[in-house]
Amino acid sequence: MPFDLPVKLRGLTPYDPGAIVCDTKLDANESCFNLPADILAKIIDRISAIDFNRYPDPNATALCSTAASYYGVEPDCIIAGNGSDELISIIIAGFSSNNAPILICDPDFSMYRFYAHMCETEVASFDKSEMRIDIDTLIEDYKRIKPSLIIFSNPCNPTGTGILRDDVIRLAKSVDCLLVVDEAYMDFWDQSIITDLPFLDNVIVLRTCSKAMGLAAVRLGFALGKRHLIDALRASKSPFNVNTLTQATGEVYLSEKAWISSCVESIKSSRDSLVNQVEQISAKYPNTIQTFSTKTNFILLKSSLCNRLHNAFVRGGVSVRLLMGDYLRVTAGNPEENSCFLNILDRFLDNEVNLTCRELPK
Ligand SMILES: *Cc1c(COP(=O)(O)O)cnc(C)c1O
């Protein structure tokens, strides 16, 4: 008899970060800055002192204490994860229940749905096709659906839009369930609710070192919240979730505040110039692409030409993310990367518009 996979595993495929490897990587919202030599040297120094035969510190004590001071919270109000992705999985596994759905926005970061699926938890969707969350409507939905938890990214991946701090706090105080605010891109905006966490019993904030900080390779993220919530996560995670190399790297890196904030500023200005230039190009070819305002390190474009545009980028060696049929998500890169992207966009639209003109009847 053939062995039958559980229903939830049938048809699942491994995560595909985009099949094509391109020279210019603008598809994963990573930082365009690799580690500078002096910080790398400090990290190598620390790593060479590791006892590789020993298990990691299960509580990542030194790392969490450095991270606590970086984020301005108490050390017992923060926990490290193997990427914030792992923390999402731990939170959903721990706080979801069989008899209440979890409330997820659509569109939002795809992993929320994935981990809900793995926990066999029902998902209720909050419609975000207008690209924004109306807090009053969300509160209404909460009352109707009575979810076990609400999770969304703020600012949002993939829309790039953000919810103001006061609105998030109003939401938190209007619901009884756990509210998870994934601030993966908050380094690029100023509406974090981290300083409000001591007054919020039901809120966990997630942060990651993979985006603004430029540490995607080491897999490091944090969950922050009041002690009873963080204790519950500590108790439900796997014991040695953050390896010693990552703990050492994070501890050195999070002490380099000047470098981190200089990266954030450069990325923000790269993003602003990218948005600007895309808007100039779209003005040259009216009704071809629509842009959205962004609080993140990427921009979202809407176009009926997205599939073909995507192919043109791949042919030109630039990977961008094709989403929801007619959207492209493009990470702000360094000036050369941005101009690779912009050149292909301009040439493609130029060609497209000229073709359309030639096809017009005389
Ligand atoms: C990239 C991303 C993450 C994942 O971060 P890791 O720490 O690399 O796992 C989490 N949430 C959102 C919204 C993201 O875009």
Side-chain angles (χ1 to χ4, degrees):
M1 262 240 317
F3 176 74
D4 279 336
L5 288 173
V7 174
K8 67 179 176 187
L9 295 184
R10 288 180 209 159
L12 274 191
T13 51
Y15 179 74
D16 176 10
I20 312 116
V21 182
C22 292
D23 291 342
T24 305
K25 248 187 106 359
L26 302 179
D27 61 344
N29 301 338
E30 296 146 330
S31 167
C32 53
F33 296 105
N34 199 350
L35 287 180
D38 57 332
I39 300 180
L40 180 61
K42 291 183 200 174
I43 290 172
I44 290 173
D45 229 41
R46 281 292 308 275
I47 286 178
S48 53
I50 287 175
D51 290 327
F52 280 80
N53 56 326
R54 302 295 176 197
Y55 279 108
D57 171 0
N59 296 317
T61 316
L63 168 63
C64 284
S65 130
T66 308
S69 93
Y70 183 87
Y71 290 114
V73 301
E74 294 299 320
D76 55 5
C77 296
I78 186 166
I79 179 181
N82 186 2
S84 54
D85 214 87
E86 185 205 18
L87 297 165
I88 296 167
S89 143
I90 294 168
I91 292 167
I92 291 181
F95 285 87
S96 64
S97 86
N98 284 336
N99 36 31
I102 76 173
L103 187 52
I104 297 178
C105 297
D106 186 22
D108 206 334
F109 186 50
S110 57
M111 298 317 284
Y112 309 147
R113 250 164 231 280
F114 171 74
Y115 290 121
H117 172 85
M118 293 310 291
C119 292
E120 303 185 71
T121 291
E122 196 193 328
V123 169
S125 291
F126 179 81
D127 177 34
K128 209 185 159 196
S129 48
E130 297 301 318
M131 298 295 158
R132 58 183 293 272
I133 294 179
D134 178 72
I135 291 298
D136 293 307
T137 314
L138 187 52
I139 294 171
E140 285 310 306
D141 276 20
Y142 164 79
K143 290 180 184 156
R144 189 166 44 80
I145 295 165
K146 301 241 181 312
S148 57
L149 75 95
I150 303 174
I151 182 167
F152 56 77
S153 53
N154 187 40
C156 171
N157 174 14
T159 67
T161 54
I163 309 169
L164 293 172
R165 173 173 157 253
D166 286 348
D167 284 333
V168 178
I169 291 167
R170 186 158 63 85
L171 171 66
K173 291 186 169 163
S174 309
V175 303
D176 289 324
C177 70
L178 180 72
L179 175 64
V180 183
V181 184
D182 181 352
E183 295 189 350
Y185 299 92
M186 195 54 90
D187 303 270
F188 303 111
W189 202 29
D190 60 2
Q191 297 293 311
S192 175
I193 58 161
I194 287 179
T195 54
D196 305 290
L197 287 174
F199 312 103
L200 300 168
D201 280 342
N202 60 333
V203 180
I204 294 176
V205 166
L206 296 173
R207 301 290 290 239
T208 177
C209 297
S210 303
K211 305 290 160 60
M213 302 221 185
L215 286 188
V218 307
R219 309 301 301 125
L220 181 59
F222 297 99
L224 301 89
K226 286 192 79 163
R227 174 131 189 224
H228 63 288
L229 296 172
I230 299 307
D231 281 348
L233 298 183
R234 261 193 208 110
S236 58
K237 76 180 182 66
S238 75
F240 306 111
N241 59 326
V242 180
N243 71 68
T244 310
L245 284 80
T246 294
Q247 291 188 29
T249 305
E251 198 194 333
V252 172
Y253 193 80
L254 287 170
S255 311
E256 301 287 344
K257 280 194 156 181
W259 163 256
I260 296 171
S261 61
S262 80
C263 289
V264 169
E265 287 317 307
S266 303
I267 294 169
K268 274 159 68 177
S269 72
S270 157
R271 169 204 66 197
D272 290 344
S273 105
L274 185 66
V275 169
N276 234 303
Q277 294 177 80
V278 169
E279 277 169 359
Q280 282 174 30
I281 291 174
S282 84
K284 275 203 312 197
Y285 312 103
N287 307 319
T288 53
I289 50 175
Q290 185 188 349
T291 56
F292 299 89
S293 76
T294 176
K295 314 291 186 201
T296 64
N297 65 336
F298 59 83
I299 59 173
L300 189 69
L301 309 177
K302 185 177 190 185
S303 170
S304 58
L305 304 167
C306 269
N307 267 302
R308 290 171 46 223
L309 254 174
H310 185 253
N311 289 338
F313 286 121
V314 170
R315 277 197 308 275
V318 177
S319 49
V320 296
R321 195 68 178 264
L322 182 62
L323 291 165
M324 305 177 279
D326 44 8
Y327 291 86
L328 285 180
R329 195 194 63 195
V330 185
T331 311
N334 63 30
E336 299 79 60
E337 292 169 327
N338 288 356
S339 70
C340 269
F341 166 81
L342 291 161
N343 286 337
I344 296 171
L345 181 67
D346 197 15
R347 256 186 288 135
F348 178 91
L349 292 176
D350 183 46
N351 201 32
E352 194 66 24
V353 170
N354 286 335
L355 274 181
T356 317
C357 292
R358 256 183 271 132
E359 280 159 9
L360 286 179
K362 301 254 152 59

